[in-house]
Amino acid sequence: MKKIFAMLLASVMLFSLTACSGTNTAGGAESTGTPQSSSTAEGTDTPGESQETALSETTESSLPYESEDMQAANGDTQAANEETQTASGETQTASGETQAANEETQAVNEDTRAANEETPTAEEKSGGTNILIAYFSRAGENYNVGVIEKGNTEVIAEMIAGQTGGALFHIETVTPYPEDYRECTNVAQQELQNNARPELTATVDRFDDYDVVFLGYPNWWGDMPMAVYTFLESYDFAGKTIVPFATHEGSGLASTENSIAAACSGAEVLDGLAVRGSVAQNSREEARGAVVNWLREAGFAD
Ligand SMILES: Cc1cc2nc3c(=O)[nH]c(=O)nc-3n(C[C@H](O)[C@H](O)[C@H](O)COP(=O)(O)O)c2cc1C
């Protein structure tokens, strides 16, 4: 014990002398470093180094995890960024699409406006002399209405004229039809079977001036009176618009719209109106309502 103490005391004294001499510490340490002290130093340094190594290893070893986590996080961030970018790209695309849609809507509106400007108004259609209302109608005894002074179809024709301002033309045969209902049906049936073309009393003045021809007739034996065929075959309807209307007692228009189209090549035949003869004759307001609605749908009345 005493020996150790003496050694320690000697070391302290030696250390004090060295310090006082002012020589460089490190060099002195290195130069004075004994293998023991060196080894001691190495020994004491080793844990330090190892700590550094450990730290560095820890750092290095932990970095990959951190890195992976970070990478993962960064990846997430990147993905999120990409998504954001995609989203903003999509938003941009969406705004682009919205803009395109708005432009299309604007174009459609402009087309509609242009179309509206091109489509003549009912006033323009009826204001001129371009509408003809040609009709066949027979007064006398008729089905369901007794003896009438004005034919059912004529009643409707006058309503159309009142709405459109068109010119009326009565299709009449040189040989009148019997006033008696039953006799008339017999004559009409005969003409139908013979595909007759009864002669008419008059022609339309300046027919070419009309663009629209309302064509009225009673349903006779599921067809038009043969006098109406005579009328259709007397003119060139190419480029004209034909608007059929018929009175009847149950058969409606039948296939008369097709027959008109077949007889008038090059003409446009619009959807026709069918009104019961007894309604036209005895329920005028009801008939007028049907006429006005139909004219409105076809664009001939406001
Ligand atoms: C000769 C003749 C044939 C007729 N055939 C039919 C017919 O097949 N189907 C029908 O629903 N009405 C028929 N009717 C009834 C008329 O179509 C109906 O009374 C019509 O409104 C008459 O029109 P008008 O008064 O303008 O001549 C016929 C009437 C007559 C005089």
Side-chain angles (χ1 to χ4, degrees):
M1 191 64 183
K2 281 181 183 174
K3 203 172 177 182
I4 293 168
F5 184 73
M7 281 176 69
L8 277 169
L9 189 63
S11 297
V12 167
M13 286 170 71
L14 184 63
F15 177 77
S16 302
L17 284 169
T18 311
C20 288
S21 70
T23 56
N24 68 75
T25 310
E30 279 174 10
S31 61
T32 59
T34 61
Q36 192 186 357
S37 63
S38 165
S39 76
T40 306
E42 281 173 8
T44 51
D45 285 346
T46 306
E49 281 174 17
S50 89
Q51 263 181 5
E52 275 175 23
T53 309
L55 276 172
S56 114
E57 278 175 6
T58 306
T59 308
E60 278 171 18
S61 67
S62 64
L63 277 172
Y65 293 104
E66 280 177 22
S67 179
E68 273 181 16
D69 288 344
M70 290 295 285
Q71 265 179 354
N74 285 342
D76 286 350
T77 310
Q78 202 176 342
N81 285 342
E82 278 169 11
E83 275 174 16
T84 310
Q85 212 172 340
T86 312
S88 69
E90 278 172 7
T91 309
Q92 214 172 341
T93 311
S95 339
E97 280 171 9
T98 309
Q99 203 179 337
N102 284 342
E103 279 168 12
E104 273 174 28
T105 309
Q106 210 174 341
V108 167
N109 285 343
E110 278 166 14
D111 285 349
T112 310
R113 211 173 306 139
N116 283 341
E117 280 167 11
E118 281 167 19
T119 308
T121 61
E123 195 181 341
E124 283 170 337
K125 280 179 180 169
S126 61
T129 56
N130 67 333
I131 295 181
L132 176 70
I133 303 156
Y135 64 95
F136 177 97
S137 189
R138 170 186 156 273
E141 185 192 18
N142 216 331
Y143 187 84
N144 243 356
V145 290
V147 178
I148 53 176
E149 289 186 9
K150 183 183 286 189
N152 302 328
T153 309
E154 186 168 1
V155 172
I156 300 299
E158 288 178 353
M159 288 177 182
I160 295 169
Q163 292 292 319
T164 64
L168 289 163
F169 178 81
H170 193 168
I171 301 168
E172 292 178 284
T173 52
V174 171
T175 307
Y177 289 93
E179 285 224 356
D180 180 84
Y181 170 70
R182 193 156 294 279
E183 281 181 37
C184 182
T185 59
N186 290 336
V187 172
Q189 188 179 39
Q190 202 66 44
E191 287 185 349
L192 182 63
Q193 285 170 355
N194 297 339
N195 198 23
R197 294 294 183 269
E199 189 184 350
L200 305 183
T201 58
T203 55
V204 177
D205 284 339
R206 299 164 62 96
F207 181 81
D208 289 346
D209 289 354
Y210 297 100
D211 299 320
V212 177
V213 180
F214 283 83
L215 181 70
Y217 45 88
N219 187 316
W220 275 10
W221 297 105
D223 205 329
M224 296 183 287
M226 292 296 105
V228 177
Y229 286 95
T230 309
F231 174 80
L232 293 179
E233 292 166 7
S234 303
Y235 304 92
D236 180 8
F237 283 85
K240 298 193 188 297
T241 300
I242 302 176
V243 197
F245 62 99
T247 61
H248 66 102
E249 285 303 336
S251 304
L253 287 154
S255 59
T256 56
E257 291 158 308
N258 293 335
S259 303
I260 294 164
C264 305
S265 60
E268 183 189 11
V269 181
L270 303 187
D271 288 342
L273 172 72
V275 181
R276 280 195 180 259
S278 45
V279 171
Q281 194 62 236
N282 300 321
S283 306
R284 301 278 168 106
E285 287 315 302
E286 183 186 336
R288 194 185 310 280
V291 167
V292 170
N293 283 343
W294 169 67
L295 289 173
R296 279 188 188 139
E297 280 174 23
F300 291 101
D302 293 323

